[in-house]
Amino acid sequence: MSLKIDHKKLIMRIPGTGNFITLDNEKCTLCGRCLIICVMNLWKKSDDRVHLVDDYASHCLECGACYQVCESGAIDFRYPAGGTGIVYAKG
Amino acid sequence: MENYDVIVVGAGPGGSIAARESAKKGLKTIFFERGRKPGEKNSSGCGLGPRMWRDFDFMTELTPEDCPSLRPGAAARNYLVNNDGEVSGYLMTKPTDSVTYEPARSWITMNCYRSEFDPWLAKYATDAGAVLKTSTLVTGLLKENGKVSGVIDEKGNKYSGLVIGADGAISMVARESGLRQRWEQEQVTIVPQYDFECPPSKIDDVMGDEALAVWWSATFPAAYQVFFNDGFHIGLGNWMTWWEKNPMHYLNQVVALKYFQRQIRILEAKPREFQVHLLPWQGQPHDTHADNVILIGDAGGFPCPLEAEGIYPAMVTARAAIETAVEAISAADVSKEFLNLYDAKWRATSVGEEFKTGPELASIWKALPFSPLKTMSWFVPMLMEIIGGIFDWSEPHAVRVRQIARRVKQYLPNAIPFIMREVIPLLTAILGEENMNLLTDPEKLIAAMPELEEAIARSFVENDMEEK
């Protein structure tokens, strides 16, 4: 029997408040890089418009990949408040 | 406003060494960690190399009591995964006779989780007198007359001093000081990894003294596996825009390998945690400092250009940064011009030595394990013909040798340009042009290659009947 892993269940986090990722649709070129790169699939595209899922802050692993690949500068990323967010116990 | 001599943003291995060295030099030092404790936000392969023990004397004090996950290993295994997604062979290696540094003959890496190692390291900084502020995000840089004078945290507290950016791949210090908004897409990788738990006795019985494994593949970018006391990491990475599908597609391909599934069963391994991080991986660090700002470790782009080891370069550049800071502070000159001294200092270290051949090392890695379809798709079967083709009882051995040679010949149109474009420049960078010319002149080799190919073709043509 082959083992299939649901990686989204293998994370631990401390809830926080406040936005730490923002998208400026005016700057977005719909290149689709953020959709490919996010390992948690937090970016979606519908009707030729990219958006970040509403509850991204309870899933984001804070890698910053979306910010890094967005060369048009549409995505801004800052870390969530100190002491909140992803916790890696076995990193 | 709190006044310090040195402010370190980040309490990973680079940040903690910077804070420690700074405090030991008598400088008033503070370092910040956004997690509740150092190491809580980090994901890493985390193999500590023997040279850390040579270059940092306190490393000898690291024990399993401090880091229960600690596991030294002497061997590395290289799996070769073919175009059909099957393990077509593997090679286990141990330190060779040419290794001169004694501890490195007994173990190649000491593996442990960052959640244990980073707090252990940070204690050396606080013991030396540095102030550690945890659960605190540094959100910006203070500026006076357009020049950086310190930092501000999320609560609005202000701190003045020379700023060391030890805040990783997505560095606020780099962004706010104008050194870098983001990396070029081929200067940084994304690395997802699973942590599996398994009984320590199973790892000892099944893996023996193996510290790590690399899964070289024609179907996914090279994956790495690192064994800890009671578990292991399996992860892979590639440049940001080199993914045709989501990175998870490729990581799950590794996990789905029949061979890997068998290993999971034998080790009684269970998935325990999922992690992802960005890892700078480039041929040459640049823009490492600005007025009153120095970047170290991942923030400065210092992971090894060949295999992206990050902890040791972070610790070495931290030391170079503080040596620079001491001179800058005593000269009362923290200008970018004065801090050029930092580049001279890190270039004089073993990290600088690594980057002397950095562009060539990064290039060969890019061309080989990070190009599964383009390169590994012929490299793996070619290597397996050579190392695996002889033990076969289908034909007389001489016939087999000819069959293997003919097959290898098919790969030459791929292999020769690869050798010319990647291997020769790397050897030239390592040996120097003069020595390389003694060994071989690339131009002469290129000129001779068609003749060599023709000679190989002719010598086997009469035996083509052996191909069924």
Side-chain angles (χ1 to χ4, degrees), chain B residues 269-302:
Chain B
K270 293 187 186 74
R272 177 162 54 184
E273 195 167 84
F274 174 69
Q275 305 143 3
V276 65
H277 69 291
L278 296 198
L279 174 58
W281 197 328
Q282 56 171 344
Q284 204 55 246
H286 53 90
D287 296 322
T288 58
H289 57 285
D291 289 326
N292 204 35
V293 170
I294 299 176
L295 303 179
I296 63 172
D298 283 20
F302 287 105

Side-chain angles (χ1 to χ4, degrees), chain B residues 60-385:
Chain B
T60 54
E61 296 166 20
L62 181 68
T63 67
E65 283 71 47
D66 305 309
C67 294
S69 63
L70 202 64
R71 185 174 195 276
R77 203 192 290 212
N78 294 274
Y79 296 92
L80 294 145
V81 181
N82 67 18
N83 297 298
D84 300 324
E86 280 175 17
V87 173
S88 56
Y90 67 76
L91 191 65
M92 195 270 275
T93 61
K94 286 199 168 191
T96 59
D97 293 343
S98 61
V99 174
T100 49
Y101 178 48
E102 173 42 41
R105 298 190 68 129
S106 312
W107 49 276
I108 54 169
T109 59
M110 196 77 81
N111 305 330
C112 65
Y113 290 124
R114 293 285 297 276
S115 52
E116 297 167 2
F117 180 67
D118 288 22
W120 176 81
L121 206 53
K123 193 161 181 304
Y124 283 89
T126 51
D127 284 352
V131 176
L132 172 61
K133 262 198 130 163
T134 56
S135 295
T136 304
L137 182 67
V138 176
T139 50
L141 297 179
L142 289 179
K143 289 182 183 168
E144 274 173 32
N145 305 322
K147 291 194 173 178
V148 175
S149 59
V151 305
I152 182 164
D153 72 17
E154 58 190 321
K155 296 186 185 79
N157 298 319
K158 294 172 178 172
Y159 311 83
S160 73
L162 190 151
V163 180
I164 306 284
D167 50 345
I170 304 288
S171 165
M172 178 281 295
V173 176
R175 282 170 74 177
E176 297 291 317
S177 61
L179 284 167
R180 177 185 72 238
Q181 277 307 302
R182 51 177 64 72
W183 301 98
E184 297 296 319
Q185 303 304 334
E186 291 186 14
Q187 290 178 335
V188 62
T189 57
I190 182 169
V191 187
Q193 71 181 11
Y194 287 115
D195 173 71
F196 279 77
E197 65 176 315
C198 51
S201 62
K202 284 284 173 189
I203 300 182
D204 288 344
D205 287 349
V206 178
M207 306 318 298
D209 60 356
E210 289 176 39
L212 55 93
V214 182
W215 298 71
W216 307 90
S217 170
T219 55
F220 49 79
Y224 60 88
Q225 188 177 19
V226 183
F227 290 94
F228 305 92
N229 180 54
D230 76 335
F232 62 85
H233 282 170
I234 180 84
L236 50 70
N238 207 340
W239 273 274
M240 303 305 292
T241 51
W242 283 33
W243 303 91
E244 281 182 27
K245 295 179 179 164
N246 190 280
M248 293 312 293
H249 168 82
Y250 301 96
L251 181 57
N252 286 331
Q253 257 188 333
V254 184
V255 174
L257 290 173
K258 266 188 191 166
Y259 201 102
F260 193 83
Q261 291 282 327
R262 207 181 91 204
Q263 203 184 71
I264 286 176
R265 286 196 299 275
I266 300 170
L267 288 170
E268 296 173 8
K270 293 187 186 74
R272 177 162 54 184
E273 195 167 84
F274 174 69
Q275 305 143 3
V276 65
H277 69 291
L278 296 198
L279 174 58
W281 197 328
Q282 56 171 344
Q284 204 55 246
H286 53 90
D287 296 322
T288 58
H289 57 285
D291 289 326
N292 204 35
V293 170
I294 299 176
L295 303 179
I296 63 172
D298 283 20
F302 287 105
C304 169
L306 182 68
E307 33 67 12
E309 173 197 21
I311 295 171
Y312 174 76
M315 291 166 66
V316 170
T317 53
R319 187 180 267 168
I322 295 305
E323 284 174 12
T324 306
V326 167
E327 291 190 38
I329 289 166
S330 79
D333 183 357
V334 292
S335 67
K336 183 181 167 97
E337 287 65 38
F338 192 95
L339 298 182
N340 285 341
L341 183 61
Y342 173 54
D343 281 344
K345 283 193 183 287
W346 72 256
R347 282 190 202 284
T349 67
S350 61
V351 172
E353 181 68 26
E354 198 79 80
F355 278 107
K356 279 184 188 163
T357 51
E360 292 81 9
L361 289 171
S363 176
I364 202 165
W365 195 269
K366 199 176 271 193
L368 199 62
F370 278 4
S371 297
L373 288 178
K374 192 171 165 229
T375 311
M376 297 307 282
S377 59
W378 59 264
F379 186 84
V380 169
M382 185 181 81
L383 190 64
M384 289 320 299
E385 281 295 343

Side-chain angles (χ1 to χ4, degrees), chain A:
Chain A
M1 193 186 75
S2 154
L3 172 120
K4 283 237 160 98
I5 306 174
D6 182 358
H7 68 282
K8 295 180 180 180
K9 290 188 174 155
L10 296 174
I11 58 174
M12 177 165 78
R13 65 172 48 253
I14 300 163
T17 53
N19 272 324
F20 54 95
I21 305 177
T22 57
L23 169 67
D24 181 348
N25 280 103
E26 296 291 310
K27 290 186 185 166
C28 175
T29 61
L30 302 172
C31 72
R33 281 183 181 175
C34 54
L35 280 78
I36 284 190
I37 209 71
C38 178
V39 296
M40 299 300 276
N41 292 310
L42 300 179
W43 295 91
K44 306 285 177 196
K45 188 176 169 184
S46 54
D47 301 333
D48 276 345
R49 200 176 157 86
V50 169
H51 69 275
L52 186 56
V53 301
D54 290 341
D55 59 343
Y56 79 89
S58 38
H59 300 286
C60 175
L61 303 182
E62 302 159 26
C63 73
C66 53
Y67 168 77
Q68 166 59 35
V69 295
C70 185
E71 285 178 6
S72 64
I75 296 173
D76 195 20
F77 169 86
R78 302 280 161 168
Y79 289 112
T84 71
I86 189 69
V87 171
Y88 290 145
K90 305 291 176 183

